[in-house]
């Protein structure tokens, strides 16, 4: 789930109703913990944030803290706790105990858990069903190292002789969710030292309560790190976290423990530095917040807001342009400014002449209409060259190259049918092979040449014998009508090919499929729904080997609108639903980005009179 780097496309705070809904979902999904335990994870008065990723995964956590839960599809049906949450509540999930450290190396490397690697208790495996969330632990350590979903029930596992895959690992210690959610997530200072102790008191919070305590901890960390570097004391393998990630020999154990201790020191120092900067930033005055807002707006106007994209809604300007331009470590909150509301801030900037803003009477939202790029503020501001933006550009270029390599190829081919089988058999051609239209035409002309059917007085006319006449016209001529005795060469090819079975080959990159029948078109439909709102539907994507989920994610980002993927009622295939009348834009996107020819795109706009 988190093996590949995926960038969060949005992060926001949950409303009160969404917080309650999240807690209800957690209680229903995980009945083992008490309400007090759930409140310890998700404090009632704490701000809870959700990070939305491009692969539709939602990650929930307390603002300024660590990720606690992640939702696989963003719909609340498959929600799992993170390793951070399991460290605070080790009994939140039932768990499989590994046989030893050798198995754990594979688990934290991203491999799924197999039944032979599980230590089965004397009383036997606990009862479970397929699709249940379970944790993974190692002997002698109460802290789970991974969480996943069972692939089969306990009854099915016993039938299979405890062979095969037991748990599909969704998240594990030190995967990309651990390391790179919102830039960096590192353990609390002292956490790794506490984990190795079998006493569960390590679950208590380790955060400093005041600056003096923080200073004491910093000095302790520095002293411990220096001592670890300068002393050659042996490290007890049984009391170190290397038990969790055991090596095959005693030397490997000691080496792993020393490396983890050094990494722990680095993590502590980094966390202390981050904590200091967060304390400084939290004391910003209203004037400082206003100043940051203005600078972020000017940075966005210089770098990401293009005139061709205007007008854009104020919410899109804020989430997609202003917030990404904020300095590292600063969380912008419009409510902490002197304007209190986004619309008032935009109106204030409009009154200075920097931008032009107009309220949309239907959406009740401020819209950015234009940018005055000759305004003194705009001219005096020098945009920063952010390395993050360069990385994004490289990523976009890589994605573009990757897509260009997956060029779409559509080939219409034909297979011999009962009508034309005698022609193929007469010239010795394979009736089970697929032929291009030109190749099929060569076969029928080879038969004509063999049987000498060309009319002597007119070389453009072919005289039909019984075999060729049946191949071209049997069943196609109405009863009582006379069968033709000759045919022009220019009509022969199309008539012969039409009597064969149509197939098509679709190739995209390394993927290729052969399907029977004529090639179906991609259908794009726009219609009105309740409330006079437009919705655009796209179906038939499977024909051209397009992933509906990936396309929905692209269109959601490109058009700044809501998208969903649903199964077509009574049919095989998926349908992408896009909020808004973007029928022409979607057709252009499929043409330019996926290479679908215009003749295979069918467009119907029911909103136009």
């Amino acid at each position: 789930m988190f093996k590949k780097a995926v960038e969060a496309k949005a992060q926001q705070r949950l409303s009160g109703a969404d917080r309650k809904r999240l807690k209800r979902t957690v209680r229903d999904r995980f009945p083992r913990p008490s309400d007090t335990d759930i409140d310890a994870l998700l404090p009632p008065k704490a701000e809870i944030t959700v990070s939305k990723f491009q692969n539709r995964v939602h990650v929930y956590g307390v603002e300024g803290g660590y990720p606690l839960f992640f939702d696989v599809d963003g719909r609340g049906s498959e929600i799992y706790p993170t390793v951070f949450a399991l460290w605070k509540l080790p009994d939140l999930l039932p768990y499989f105990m590994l046989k030893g450290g050798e198995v754990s190396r594979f688990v934290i490397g991203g491999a799924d858990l197999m039944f032979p690697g599980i230590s089965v208790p004397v009383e036997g495996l606990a009862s479970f069903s397929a699709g249940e969330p379970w944790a993974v632990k190692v002997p002698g350590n109460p802290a789970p190292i991974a969480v996943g979903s069972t692939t089969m029930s306990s009854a099915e596992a016993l039938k299979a002789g405890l062979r095969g895959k037991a748990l599909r690992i969704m998240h594990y210690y030190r995967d990309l969710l651990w390391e790179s959610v919102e830039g960096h997530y590192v353990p609390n200072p002292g956490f790794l030292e506490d984990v190795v102790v079998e006493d569960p008191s390590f679950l208590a919070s380790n955060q400093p309560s005041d600056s003096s305590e923080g200073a004491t901890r910093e000095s302790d960390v520095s002293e411990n790190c220096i001592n670890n570097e300068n002393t050659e004391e042996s490290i007890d393998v049984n009391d170190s976290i290397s038990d969790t990630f055991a090596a095959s020999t005693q030397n490997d154990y000691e080496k792993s423990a020393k490396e983890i201790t050094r990494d722990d020191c680095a993590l502590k120092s980094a966390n202390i530095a981050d904590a200091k900067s967060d304390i400084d930033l939290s004391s910003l005055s209203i004037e400082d917040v206003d100043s940051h807002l203005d600078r972020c707006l000017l940075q966005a106007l210089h770098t990401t807001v293009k005139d061709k994209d205007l007008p854009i809604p104020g919410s899109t300007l804020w989430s997609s342009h202003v917030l990404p331009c904020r300095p590292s470590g600063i969380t912008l909150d419009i409510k902490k400014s002197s304007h209190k509301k986004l619309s008032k801030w935009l109106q204030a900037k409009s009154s200075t002449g920097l931008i032009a803003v107009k309220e949309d009477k239907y959406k009740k939202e401020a819209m950015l209409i234009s940018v005055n790029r000759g305004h003194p503020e705009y001219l005096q501001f020098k945009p920063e060259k952010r390395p993050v933006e360069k990385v994004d550009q490289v990523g976009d270029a890589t994605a573009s190259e990757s897509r260009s390599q997956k060029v779409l190829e559509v080939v219409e081919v034909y297979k011999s049918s009962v009508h034309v089988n005698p022609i193929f058999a007469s010239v010795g051609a394979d009736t089970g092979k697929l032929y291009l239209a030109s190749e099929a035409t060569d076969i029928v002309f080879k038969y004509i040449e063999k049987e000498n059917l060309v009319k002597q007085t007119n070389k453009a006319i072919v005289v039909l014998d019984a075999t060729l006449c049946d191949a071209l016209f049997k069943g196609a001529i109405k009863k009582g009508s006379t069968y033709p005795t000759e045919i022009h060469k220019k009509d022969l090819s199309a008539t012969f090919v039409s009597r064969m079975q149509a197939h098509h080959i679709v190739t995209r990159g390394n993927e290729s499929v052969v399907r029977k029948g004529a090639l179906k078109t991609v259908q794009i439909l726009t219609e009105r729904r309740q409330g006079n709102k437009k919705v655009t539907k796209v179906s038939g994507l499977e024909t051209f080997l397009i992933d509906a989920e990936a396309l929905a994610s692209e269109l959601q980002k490109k058009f700044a609108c809501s998208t969903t993927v649903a199964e077509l009622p009574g049919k095989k295939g998926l349908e992408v639903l896009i909020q808004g009348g973007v029928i022409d834009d979607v057709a252009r996107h499929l043409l330019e980005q996926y290479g679908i020819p215009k003749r295979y795109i069918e467009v119907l706009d029911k909103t136009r009179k």
Side-chain angles (χ1 to χ4, degrees), residues 2 30 60-61 64 91 121 151 219 245 333 339 341 356 412-413 456 586 595:
F2 299 103
F30 314 112
Y60 300 92
D91 296 328
T151 60
S219 62
F245 317 109
D333 189 351
H339 306 284
K341 290 184 178 181
E412 294 179 350
V413 291
Q456 297 300 321
V586 172

Side-chain angles (χ1 to χ4, degrees), residues 9 39 95-96 104 124 139 159 177 193 200 205 224 228 230 249 292 294 339 416 464 479 490 514 578 597:
K9 62 181 181 181
D39 288 340
Y95 61 88
F96 291 116
S104 69
K159 273 186 184 180
L177 174 60
E193 292 178 351
S205 173
N224 290 337
N228 285 332
N230 295 336
T249 64
H292 280 300
D294 293 345
H339 306 284
S416 177
L464 300 179
K479 290 183 179 180
K490 67 179 182 181
V514 180
I578 310 147

Side-chain angles (χ1 to χ4, degrees), residues 304-377:
T304 62
V305 178
K306 308 299 181 184
D307 291 335
K308 64 179 181 179
D309 298 329
L310 301 177
I312 57 175
S315 57
T316 303
L317 174 68
W318 173 261
S319 60
S320 301
H321 300 280
V322 175
L323 286 183
C325 292
R326 66 187 185 274
S328 177
I330 291 183
T331 302
L332 285 180
D333 189 351
I334 196 71
K335 294 179 180 178
K336 294 181 180 179
S337 69
S338 60
H339 306 284
K340 304 301 182 185
K341 290 184 178 181
L342 177 63
S343 58
K344 290 185 178 180
W345 175 55
L346 293 178
Q347 291 291 351
K349 302 310 295 180
S350 177
S351 63
T352 64
L354 176 62
I355 58 176
V357 176
K358 183 179 179 181
E359 184 177 359
D360 189 327
K361 61 181 180 181
Y362 296 105
K363 297 182 179 179
K364 303 297 182 183
E365 182 180 9
M367 302 284 292
L368 176 62
I369 304 300
S370 63
V371 178
N372 182 6
R373 302 193 184 276
H375 193 273
E377 284 187 46

Side-chain angles (χ1 to χ4, degrees), residues 1 49 64 76 88 140 160 191 210 229 233 264 352 414 419 423 433 444 484 503 518 527 538 596:
M1 178 61 63
T49 61
K88 286 184 173 293
F191 183 81
D210 53 41
E229 291 177 358
E233 297 177 1
D264 189 23
T352 64
Y414 303 89
H419 301 296
I423 304 294
K433 183 181 173 183
V444 69
H503 289 68
E527 61 184 11
V538 186
I596 301 178

Side-chain angles (χ1 to χ4, degrees), residues 26 83 262 313-314 325 328 349 375 405 417 451 544-545:
V26 170
V83 171
R262 286 196 295 271
C325 292
S328 177
K349 302 310 295 180
H375 193 273
Q405 292 172 358
S417 66
E451 301 295 332
F544 298 95
L545 305 179

Side-chain angles (χ1 to χ4, degrees), residues 445 448 452-463 487-490:
F445 276 104
I448 293 170
N452 194 21
L453 298 178
V454 178
K455 193 172 183 179
Q456 297 300 321
T457 57
N458 187 353
K459 300 294 185 181
I461 301 297
V462 175
V463 178
I487 187 172
H488 199 284
K489 284 185 177 180
K490 67 179 182 181

Side-chain angles (χ1 to χ4, degrees), residues 67-321:
L68 298 175
F69 296 94
F70 62 93
D71 188 353
V72 174
D73 58 3
R75 300 175 183 175
S77 57
E78 289 189 71
I79 193 168
Y80 295 86
T82 65
V83 171
F84 297 99
L86 290 173
W87 284 356
K88 286 184 173 293
L89 289 178
D91 296 328
L92 180 63
L93 292 179
Y95 61 88
F96 291 116
M97 184 66 72
L98 300 182
K99 284 185 176 178
E102 283 295 329
V103 180
S104 69
R105 289 195 305 169
F106 295 101
V107 173
I108 64 171
D112 292 332
L113 178 61
M114 313 299 284
F115 277 109
I118 297 175
S119 176
V120 181
V122 179
E123 62 273 15
L125 281 177
S127 177
F128 56 85
S129 303
E132 288 186 359
W134 278 61
V136 180
K137 291 186 179 181
V138 293
N141 195 325
I145 63 170
V147 60
S149 173
T150 54
T151 60
M152 63 180 77
S153 65
S154 52
E156 293 171 335
L158 292 174
K159 273 186 184 180
L162 295 182
R163 293 284 177 184
K165 188 182 297 184
L167 201 67
R168 185 163 64 96
I169 300 299
M170 313 294 287
H171 161 54
Y172 52 90
Y173 171 73
R174 282 192 173 174
D175 64 0
L176 289 176
L177 174 60
W178 169 286
E179 294 180 347
S180 60
V181 172
E182 194 59 31
H184 54 277
Y185 271 113
V186 295
N188 288 338
F191 183 81
L192 291 176
E193 292 178 351
D194 294 335
V195 166
V196 302
V197 184
E198 296 188 8
D199 184 1
S201 62
F202 77 94
L203 300 174
S205 173
N206 291 310
Q207 296 294 340
S209 58
D210 53 41
S211 59
S212 61
E213 185 179 348
T216 304
R217 172 165 294 175
E218 181 181 359
S219 62
D220 292 342
V221 169
S222 302
E223 184 177 352
N224 290 337
C225 291
I226 294 171
N227 291 337
N228 285 332
E229 291 177 358
N230 295 336
T231 61
E232 296 296 334
E233 297 177 1
S234 63
I235 298 175
D236 187 356
V237 177
N238 295 325
D239 289 338
S240 71
I241 198 171
S242 58
D243 266 359
T244 308
F245 317 109
S248 57
T249 64
Q250 182 71 15
N251 292 334
D252 291 339
Y253 274 121
E254 295 178 359
K255 182 179 178 181
S256 300
K258 289 179 180 179
E259 289 178 354
I260 291 173
T261 305
R262 286 196 295 271
D263 291 344
D264 189 23
C265 292
L267 291 176
K268 291 173 184 177
S269 302
N271 203 27
I272 291 170
D274 291 342
K276 282 186 175 182
S277 64
D278 290 342
I279 292 173
D280 294 339
L281 293 170
S282 63
S283 59
L284 289 176
S285 64
I286 293 177
E287 291 77 11
D288 292 334
V289 175
D290 288 346
S291 177
H292 280 300
L293 286 174
D294 293 345
R295 283 199 296 271
C296 290
L297 175 62
L298 289 168
Q299 178 75 18
L301 296 181
H302 274 275
T303 56
T304 62
V305 178
K306 308 299 181 184
D307 291 335
K308 64 179 181 179
D309 298 329
L310 301 177
I312 57 175
S315 57
T316 303
L317 174 68
W318 173 261
S319 60
S320 301
H321 300 280

